[in-house]
Amino acid sequence: METHELVVHPAYPPLEVSKVHASIISRDANWLRLRWRIDGAAKLVVPAFAGKGRADELWRATCFELFLMPRGGDAYSEFNLSPSERWAAYDFSSYRDGMENRPSPREPDCTMRKGSSFAIFDAAIPAGAIPVEECEAGLTCVLEEEGGIKSFWALCHPQEQPDFHDPACFTVQLAAPSAA
């Protein structure tokens, strides 16, 4: 399991969230499994259960995201995963351009567990939805806390405003699937 500490964008500090770690748990012929751990989650606002299904603009509330870009390419894919169980997947031909819905052979599985001081969000993305064998990945999240306070977490923040689409944020190497 690869675990990466995410950093908050300094222009959008959290209320109580103190740390976020994102992990690539495993990747095999069937699933890519991911986990985000949020420390200081007592005031985290979790979207209400809505059931599985595609939905746009999930980032407007607590949402977890994965970006995948083939090495040396301009095209990339974005996966948005909500604790509500709603999800979205998009393909871009280049930086924020040519957005289209990305097909998926089945829906991702998402679960959220929230305790008094931390929360865990687990997601499994079907292997058939992953665009390439090996690529560079960006792990991010938007966290909403009580009072509408939103913080933006990523592997890095090279710009003055949060921009998860910035290729400089795709710093994790996602290896080819292991044999299942």
Side-chain angles (χ1 to χ4, degrees), residues 30-34 66 79 81 104 108-109 123-130:
N30 299 308
W31 297 98
L32 170 62
R33 297 182 192 286
L34 307 163
L66 171 70
F79 296 85
L81 306 158
S104 182
D109 286 330
I125 299 172
I130 305 299

Side-chain angles (χ1 to χ4, degrees), residues 10-11 20 43-44 60 71 76 80 89 118 121 127 130 144 158-159 161 164 177:
V20 177
K43 295 189 177 182
L44 184 68
R60 293 189 180 275
R71 292 184 182 129
Y76 62 97
N80 298 331
F118 71 93
F121 180 77
I130 305 299
E144 182 178 357
Q159 299 187 36
Q161 291 297 315
F164 296 159

